[in-house]
Amino acid sequence: MTTAPQLVVHRDKELMAQAAAARLITKIVDAQAARGFASVVLTGGRNGNGLLAALSSAPARDAVDWSRLDLWWGDERFLPEGDPERNYTQAREALLDSVPLDPARVHPMPASDGPYGVGTDTDGADAAAEAYAAELAAAAGPEDHGPVPTFDVLMLGVGPDTHVASLFPELPAVRETERMVVGVHGAPKPPPTRVSLTLPAIRSAREVWLLAAGEDKAKAAAIALSGAGEIQAPAAGAYGRSRTLWLLDAAAASQLPRGLYPPASP
């Protein structure tokens, strides 16, 4: 079932990151109080990393029981372990190295120099995707809706071309309806080889949050929120089971139809 997107617009990207971090802390704490643990899917890019940096410096971050938090990733660049362009590397620098996580509950996508880096990049990324799908399936319980856990929050950055995770317009990965994780080849932005959750996996989350800040995201937000199809605008196909939340700054919201969202919050 598609959940209608809710929009929250902040004055600038710094406020957006701080407010989103506070919102995420609350969501994690509530989930841990209800079930004993929380499950979150992280995103890379400037907005995803900005949120993690804001969370790192948030006074309320100590309200989270970091040892009872499961972390997954929506996509990854198929590069060697420790490469500065990997989302996992950037997340560690922004937040993860500074909080007491349980290493067994942190699930980075495989690197290109790991066990799935043999052969061509194409073979390796596809094998890495299969391995990550198996890891997700192993973590899913009978209460979940298929071969992935029911994530509490799944975050996605929105690209200027409307891509989310590494699902780019018109490419095969955005058309996938069966597999939960796929290798991505020939991505239009470097590096060309990636691993990504698919739309079916994304839609398993309780809440999907889409992050967009900056004038370069304004057209993408307008297209995705105007009823575009998910093959042409992958962000339009990203929604949660109970909530779909677009978190924008005023610049990214500047091309949205008037009346679609309330005035920017301070």
Side-chain angles (χ1 to χ4, degrees), residues 43-45 47-48 155-159 162-165 209-212 217 235:
T43 185
N47 292 322
M155 294 182 288
L156 297 166
V158 179
T162 72
H163 84 266
V164 290
W209 298 3
L210 296 107
L211 313 175
K217 307 295 179 72

Side-chain angles (χ1 to χ4, degrees), residues 69-201:
L69 176 64
D70 295 307
L71 290 180
W72 302 86
W73 270 261
D75 74 319
E76 187 56 276
R77 300 165 173 91
F78 197 56
L79 295 168
E81 184 70 33
D83 189 290
E85 291 299 307
R86 270 176 59 86
N87 290 334
Y88 177 54
T89 307
Q90 296 173 6
R92 287 187 60 179
E93 293 174 356
L95 171 68
L96 307 190
D97 284 348
S98 65
V99 291
L101 293 159
D102 177 354
R105 303 187 85 145
V106 179
H107 305 274
M109 288 182 166
S112 64
D113 58 348
Y116 309 103
V118 296
T120 66
D121 267 3
T122 299
D123 296 336
D126 290 346
E130 289 182 16
Y132 206 66
E135 194 172 349
L136 284 163
E143 73 281 3
D144 293 312
H145 307 273
V148 293
T150 305
F151 313 113
D152 291 297
V153 176
L154 184 149
M155 294 182 288
L156 297 166
V158 179
D161 60 354
T162 72
H163 84 266
V164 290
S166 284
L167 306 177
F168 294 90
E170 305 284 356
L171 290 192
V174 77
R175 302 174 185 270
E176 181 63 46
T177 59
E178 300 295 329
R179 292 176 293 172
M180 298 295 110
V181 192
V182 293
V184 176
H185 314 287
K189 60 180 290 190
T193 306
R194 297 154 174 256
V195 177
S196 182
L197 298 189
T198 60
L199 287 176

Side-chain angles (χ1 to χ4, degrees), residues 9 16 212-222 247-256:
V9 181
M16 185 189 98
E215 290 181 12
D216 61 325
K217 307 295 179 72
K219 184 176 180 182
L247 302 171
L248 307 104
D249 72 349
S254 61
Q255 294 186 31
L256 296 178

